Amino acid sequence: MSSTSQRLEDIIYIGTYTEGGSGTTGSEGIYVCRLDRSTGMLSLVSAVGGASNPSFLALDPEHRHLYAVSEMGAGAVVAYELDPEGGVLTLLNRAPSGGSAPCHLSVDPRGRWVVVAHYGDGSVSVLPREAEGRVRPVAEVVQHVGASVNPERQEGPHAHQAIFGPDGAVLVADLGIDQVLAYALDEGTGELRPRGTPGVVQPGSGPRHMAFSRDGRFLYLLNELTYTVTVFAYDGAGLSPLQTVPMLPESFAGNSGADIHLTPDGAWLYASNRGHDSLARFAVNAVTGMLEPRGHTPTGGRTPRNFAVDPDGVFLLAANQDSGRVVVFRIDAATGELEETGGALDIPAPVCVLFARG
């Protein structure tokens, strides 16, 4: 482990909503927190502004800079420098994101580009990233087209997440068109070119967030509207559906799926239920990629919008948006069960959790 990683291993960043919703009063933007690994207690270090509704955060590959979407009608990407001694953030610059209501962003593995998914207009944009961390004006915008069967949520495309695959491809989950689309990123120009066969789910599912297996052979997709998880085989040429499993044992009125993550060893997968306010737990078959439901854990608050598993696989932090509370759980590596540490922290409208060590 590098010295920088040692200094940052206990730092967590929390993105929040600062306006336009319940519980946002008093939110200052991005919160810098510290996790005491001996006790599981989460404490506040500082808060930093510079972005309205910094609802999703991402780090560069070297963990020297942090990027936030400003989830507004006219969206933006905001860049911060990260102090390796204590994780404190310093605002560098901002740039228009190239679309409406950006809700997710990722930095490419070489650190040259920032890819942004826009829920509002269903577009995906690419911004150049300078070596010193600043973002430059948009280099590429791809507009998704289409609709699906839910007239309230799927009247048009709604790109919800853009992540990089193990082969460098950009995969985009689009809630509005019930597809996961794959693109090749031109490292020289930032252009996105369609690649392979899209992953298609049942109409009305609403793809939201994704996670790759440790070996990159399987993609796990959380469907927001049906609160299910679809398992795809991934080989670079396309996505082939293998299994779809429910996140709840029976119909639960008012629920929606939100976030999905694997433990670092790939043995356990968690998915958050908003409404049921729980984390669904699945055992992962390392050979077939298939999931076996293993129960639920209450998240200790209302509306678990996002959560994160720490890089060592010891802790899970759940951001309960509507109750303004980030709850810390300890993971049992043998069973995948979660136990609250008692180290929760009150933060207004938390919607993203990011470990500084990545």
Side-chain angles (χ1 to χ4, degrees):
M1 182 185 296
S2 70
S3 59
T4 299
S5 294
Q6 290 173 344
R7 289 192 291 267
L8 293 177
E9 67 177 348
D10 299 329
I11 296 296
I12 293 97
Y13 298 105
I14 310 293
T16 69
Y17 278 130
T18 60
E19 55 186 276
S22 63
T24 59
T25 301
S27 177
E28 298 181 57
I30 300 171
Y31 289 78
V32 184
C33 305
R34 184 178 298 279
L35 178 66
D36 185 323
R37 290 178 173 272
S38 63
T39 65
M41 299 292 291
L42 191 63
S43 60
L44 180 64
V45 175
S46 62
V48 61
S52 298
N53 287 346
S55 64
F56 202 87
L57 314 174
L59 291 166
D60 74 304
E62 297 180 345
H63 300 175
R64 295 189 301 115
H65 301 99
L66 181 141
Y67 300 89
V69 298
S70 179
E71 190 175 336
M72 306 293 288
V77 174
V78 186
Y80 298 87
E81 185 176 28
L82 187 157
D83 172 18
E85 294 296 336
V88 176
L89 301 175
T90 302
L91 178 66
L92 291 176
N93 81 320
R94 73 183 68 235
S97 64
S100 170
C103 59
H104 187 274
L105 79 172
S106 295
V107 182
D108 87 277
R110 296 186 181 182
R112 297 186 59 186
W113 306 97
V114 178
V115 180
V116 186
H118 297 91
Y119 183 87
D121 60 10
S123 66
V124 184
S125 65
V126 183
L127 285 73
R129 175 182 174 270
E130 297 178 352
E132 64 271 23
R134 291 177 174 82
V135 284
R136 301 206 305 268
V138 169
E140 168 81 324
V141 177
V142 173
Q143 178 62 58
H144 289 179
V145 295
S148 194
V149 299
N150 187 317
E152 296 181 355
R153 299 294 308 279
Q154 296 181 309
E155 80 296 342
H158 294 296
H160 218 307
Q161 188 187 41
I163 65 172
F164 285 87
D167 53 0
V170 177
L171 288 95
V172 182
D174 194 307
L175 182 147
I177 61 176
D178 284 323
Q179 293 185 41
V180 176
L181 297 96
Y183 298 94
L185 173 67
D186 187 309
E187 286 286 344
T189 66
E191 180 182 0
L192 294 174
R193 302 188 183 96
R195 168 180 168 175
T197 304
V200 179
V201 292
Q202 283 290 111
S205 295
R208 179 183 172 96
H209 276 196
M210 303 168 283
F212 268 102
S213 63
R214 188 170 58 169
D215 60 10
R217 294 190 301 128
F218 304 104
L219 178 73
Y220 299 93
L221 169 69
L222 180 143
N223 299 300
E224 175 177 338
L225 303 182
T226 54
Y227 35 99
T228 57
V229 176
T230 298
V231 184
F232 290 97
Y234 180 76
D235 62 5
L239 291 160
S240 303
L242 300 175
Q243 179 191 30
T244 295
V245 293
M247 291 164 53
L248 292 176
E250 57 187 30
S251 179
F252 183 90
N255 193 64
S256 65
D259 201 16
I260 185 168
H261 293 285
L262 289 151
T263 52
D265 62 4
W268 302 100
L269 182 142
Y270 302 95
S272 58
N273 286 297
R274 295 176 294 182
H276 192 257
D277 296 336
S278 67
L279 289 162
R281 181 174 77 257
F282 301 90
V284 182
N285 186 307
V287 177
T288 66
M290 299 294 194
L291 301 177
E292 179 185 342
R294 291 290 183 88
H296 303 81
T297 301
T299 59
R302 300 191 310 277
T303 319
R305 173 67 172 267
N306 181 252
F307 67 95
V309 177
D310 98 88
D312 293 331
V314 177
F315 295 100
L316 183 152
L317 275 62
N320 293 288
Q321 177 183 348
D322 288 346
S323 53
R325 194 164 180 79
V326 179
V327 178
V328 183
F329 296 89
R330 194 178 297 273
I331 301 171
D332 186 316
T335 66
E337 293 184 359
L338 303 173
E339 181 181 3
E340 280 195 48
T341 66
L345 182 66
D346 291 335
I347 292 176
V351 291
C352 183
V353 181
L354 180 68
F355 282 83
R357 185 150 54 95

